[in-house]
C-alpha cells in the first residue's frame, strides 16, 4: 500500500497513535521514491526495533519480483519516536534502504538518530502510553 512520506498514517485504525506520520510505504507501481545513501547507523538502529502491529502472514517486497529475490517477514511496523512525533514505517523499510536504495526523509533519519533509542526507558514509556 502506497502512502506518501510524511503524510498522516492511515494503514491501521489502531487507537492511540494520534498524529503519526507514514514513512517508507512504497507501492509496487511507485518507482519515483527518493533514492540515495542512508547512513549505516540509521539501518543499525532500525534493526534494533521490535516490530509493532504485527499481522498474520508475510508481506513480500513488491520490487524483488524484478530482482529475482524473495523477501518475506515484512508483516510488521517500525515505530520511531522523537518527542511527541511518531513515525510509522513498514518493517520492509530496512530492505528498501539496503536493496533498493530508498532514502527516507531527513526528518525521519534525524529522529532515528536523535529520538528515543529502541529498548530505552524513554522509548518503552512512550510506547506504553500509545498502546494503552
Amino acid at each position: 500500500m502506497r502512502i506518501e512520506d510524511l503524510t498522516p498514517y492511515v494503514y491501521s485504525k489502531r487507537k492511540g497513535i494520534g498524529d503519526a506520520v507514514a514513512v517508507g510505504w512504497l507501492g509496487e507501481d511507485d518507482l519515483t521514491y527518493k533514492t540515495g545513501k542512508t547512513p549505516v547507523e540509521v539501518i543499525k538502529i532500525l534493526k534494533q526495533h521490535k516490530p509493532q502491529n504485527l499481522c498474520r502472514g508475510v508481506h513480500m517486497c513488491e520490487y524483488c519480483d524484478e530482482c529475482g529475490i524473495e523477501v518475506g517477514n515484512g508483516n510488521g511496523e517500525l515505530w520511531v519516536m522523537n518527542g511527541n512525533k511518531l513515525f510509522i514505517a513498514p518493517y520492509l523499510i530496512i530492505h528498501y534502504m539496503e536493496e533498493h536504495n530508498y532514502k527516507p526523509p531527513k526528518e525521519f533519519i534525524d529522529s532515528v538518530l536523535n529520538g528515543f533509542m529502541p529498548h530505552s526507558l524513554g522509548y518503552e514509556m512512550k510506547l506504553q502510553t500509545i498502546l494503552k
Side-chain angles (χ1 to χ4, degrees):
M1 177 179 175
R2 171 81 170 117
I3 305 173
E4 191 72 31
D5 281 346
L6 302 179
T7 62
Y9 169 81
V10 294
Y11 187 72
S12 169
K13 302 296 182 210
R14 182 179 206 129
K15 293 182 179 178
I17 58 171
D19 297 326
V21 294
V23 173
W25 294 86
L26 310 181
E28 66 181 298
D29 296 327
D30 180 23
L31 296 175
T32 61
Y33 58 83
K34 186 175 177 186
T35 60
K37 184 90 170 119
T38 300
V40 174
E41 189 63 23
V42 170
I43 295 171
K44 281 180 167 177
I45 292 170
L46 288 175
K47 286 181 176 180
Q48 295 174 34
H49 278 265
K50 176 183 168 192
Q52 301 295 325
N53 211 20
L54 291 171
C55 302
R56 292 183 179 180
V58 297
H59 178 81
M60 304 303 281
C61 175
E62 295 91 351
Y63 303 108
C64 283
D65 287 347
E66 297 170 13
C67 303
I69 301 170
E70 187 173 296
V71 177
N73 297 330
N75 63 340
E77 300 169 340
L78 298 178
W79 292 7
V80 173
M81 295 176 263
N82 189 1
N84 289 326
K85 189 99 174 197
L86 172 62
F87 298 88
I88 300 181
Y91 190 75
L92 279 176
I93 192 171
I94 297 167
H95 170 76
Y96 295 151
M97 290 185 289
E98 291 180 321
E99 299 298 326
H100 302 290
N101 208 26
Y102 165 68
K103 185 165 186 186
K106 182 181 182 331
E107 186 178 352
F108 176 78
I109 290 172
D110 291 346
S111 291
V112 171
L113 295 173
N114 303 313
F116 295 115
M117 290 293 129
H119 311 294
S120 69
L121 181 59
Y123 185 92
E124 294 299 327
M125 288 174 62
K126 183 73 173 169
L127 187 60
Q128 290 308 310
T129 63
I130 292 170
L131 296 177
K132 68 175 178 172

